[in-house]
Structure formats: C-alpha cells, structure tokens
Amino acid sequence: MKLTLPYQGLLRASRLAVLSAAALLAAGQLQAGEPSAKAPAPVIEPEAPFVTGTLSLMVDTHFVSYGQDVWAAGQSWQDPLFHPSLELNFNLGSGFSFILGTWWDVNDNAASSIGDRIQEVDVWAGFGYAVGDWKFTLLYQAWMYGSSTEEIVDFKVAYSSFLNPYILLHGRTDRGAATTFGEGLVVQAGIAPGASLGPVSLSFPIALSYDTYDFHGGQAGFGFASAGVSASIPLTKSITANIGATYYYTNDNVIVTNPDEGFVMGSAGITVTF
C-alpha cells in the first residue's frame, strides 16, 4: 500500500528516534566502568623496608649502668669514654620485628681482657611488637667483660605520646664478672617529653628505679632518679649531631659502689640512620 506523505514523515521520525536511543545506549556502555578524569589518583603507601638500622658514635663522661657509675668517675669529666653502638631492626610484618644490636665501652682505664682499649662488648637479640601507639620489646643481652659474660633479660613497654612514658624490667640472670653483685631485677620507669626548636629536636628524659636486694651490692629499694636534656641537630637526611647532659641522684644504701651520690653525665656524638 502506498503511504501518503504525512505517514512517510512519521515513519522517518520514528526511525530517527530509535537510532538516537541506540546511539546513546552504546555510548553509555562504552563509558561504563571508566574512571572519571576528575577522580583522585589512588594512594599507594610506600612499602616499609625489611631492614633499618641506627649507628651511634658517642663520647660520654661516664659509663652509667642503671644508676651504677661503673668507672667511678664521680663528679669528674676528665676521662671521656667512647661508646659506639649499632642496632638493626628486621621488619617481620604485622607489627613484629627482630632486633640485633651491639654496644662497646672503649677506654684506657684498665688493662683490657678483650683487646686494645675495648673494655666491654655487649650484644643483644630479641623481638619487638608495635600496635597503635604501644610498643613491646623483649631482649636477651650478653655483656662480655673481665673474661666473663653477664647475662641480661629486658622487657620494655612504651607508649608514644607527648610524655612518651615507659616501664622497663631489667633482669640479671647470670652475674658473670660482676662477682660483688647478685642476680635480681631493676624496675625502671620514666618519661621523655619532647619539643622542637626550629630544626633541633629536644628531649627531656626523667627516670626512677627500684632494685631488688643485692642487685648493686646493697639493700632493696629506690636505686636512682635522673633528669636530663638532649638535643638532636640534623646534619643531613640520615645523620644527626647529638649533645646532652643528665643528672643522677643515687641511693648509696642500694648502689654501694658509686663514689658520689649525685653526679652529671655529659654526652656528645653523631647518629646515622639507614
């Protein structure tokens, strides 16, 4: 049947509408799932390195071991000591880490049983666990001096905040060459609030301790109190210069070998992180 002109126009209009709808549907299908040009790029967190480390090269006026003035320097600063240390942290994932470290006491105060001027070599190994602002650390330490080894187990709980409080249980399980001391425990608690002065980082550590009987050759009770200030000055991205001073007040009924109940220890050196 031959269509009249009005019907032909209506048919053409219908076809055009169908084609337009099909074109719009196809365009929508092609764009489905494509990111918007204005969408932010995904944030990719940098992967934590497997090994990190800290090398410290410090010169100290005293060797202080939990309140004990080991070389009996007292109030003198005339005989500085070199104390290098190195600690490595291995990232085990899920907040766990494996820790290895060493610390040396180098001076000419006595004939060395190790060699040259190396009076003591300490090594430690253990594990750390961090969750939120909490960190837990368990270490076994071997302190080698005087042709013998003093064995230590440390457990520390720390909380990262303005005050940075912590508590440390320091247990001597084998006295080694420390023949005038016994096995036992030191409980130390402290804080270390910090501040910044331009690029300089300041820390104000304060600590108190309690000794069990005969740990430092004396009675059980309050062992020492200390308060200090230290400054870290960045030299490069990974190297800082450090300087500080700490005042110690010790109880001579508990820590019996110190020549003075009160003394100030000074420290200076550099720290390299990698």
Side-chain angles (χ1 to χ4, degrees):
M1 181 178 63
K2 185 177 180 179
L3 298 175
T4 63
L5 183 60
Y7 286 108
Q8 290 177 344
L10 181 58
L11 181 59
R12 285 197 296 268
S14 300
R15 290 176 178 174
L16 181 59
V18 171
L19 291 174
S20 299
L24 290 174
L25 179 60
Q29 289 175 340
L30 289 174
Q31 293 177 1
E34 293 181 2
S36 168
K38 296 182 180 180
V43 177
I44 301 175
E45 295 292 338
E47 185 177 353
F50 176 61
V51 182
T52 56
T54 302
L55 172 66
S56 180
L57 305 173
M58 299 298 296
V59 175
D60 300 315
T61 60
H62 295 66
F63 173 6
V64 182
S65 179
Y66 296 88
Q68 180 195 0
D69 182 2
V70 173
W71 290 111
Q75 299 181 21
S76 172
W77 281 28
Q78 296 180 356
D79 193 11
L81 315 169
F82 180 44
H83 292 150
S85 66
L86 173 67
E87 184 171 278
L88 301 176
N89 283 261
F90 299 84
N91 181 10
L92 303 180
S94 300
F96 289 93
S97 61
F98 177 65
I99 304 167
L100 285 175
T102 184
W103 177 93
W104 294 13
D105 178 30
V106 183
N107 60 72
D108 60 357
N109 287 344
S112 172
S113 61
I114 299 174
D116 295 327
R117 297 185 177 188
I118 303 173
Q119 304 290 347
E120 179 173 334
V121 174
D122 300 347
V123 295
W124 59 87
F127 293 93
Y129 176 64
V131 54
D133 293 325
W134 292 91
K135 185 171 183 180
F136 305 85
T137 307
L138 179 64
L139 298 176
Y140 165 78
Q141 302 190 53
W143 296 1
M144 295 170 282
Y145 61 92
S147 300
S148 188
T149 300
E150 183 178 343
E151 297 185 27
I152 301 293
V153 175
D154 281 354
F155 178 64
K156 183 177 182 180
V157 180
Y159 182 75
S160 179
S161 66
F162 170 71
L163 292 177
N164 297 314
Y166 71 90
I167 186 167
L168 171 65
L169 305 180
H170 172 77
R172 181 188 293 131
T173 59
D174 189 328
R175 62 183 181 174
T179 55
T180 59
F181 300 153
E183 287 80 17
L185 182 69
V186 173
V187 180
Q188 180 176 320
I191 58 174
S196 296
L197 188 62
V200 180
S201 297
L202 301 174
S203 180
F204 305 91
I206 299 172
L208 296 169
S209 80
Y210 175 90
D211 285 19
T212 59
Y213 175 76
D214 200 33
F215 190 95
H216 281 123
Q219 301 298 315
F222 160 73
F224 77 88
S226 66
V229 58
S230 63
S232 298
I233 306 165
L235 303 179
T236 69
K237 183 178 179 180
S238 58
I239 302 176
T240 59
N242 306 288
I243 188 169
T246 303
Y247 173 75
Y248 285 86
Y249 174 77
T250 63
N251 182 352
D252 60 5
N253 292 318
V254 175
I255 305 175
V256 300
T257 58
N258 289 356
D260 297 300
E261 283 190 329
F263 58 91
V264 176
M265 182 187 80
S267 299
I270 63 171
T271 300
V272 182
T273 57
F274 55 91

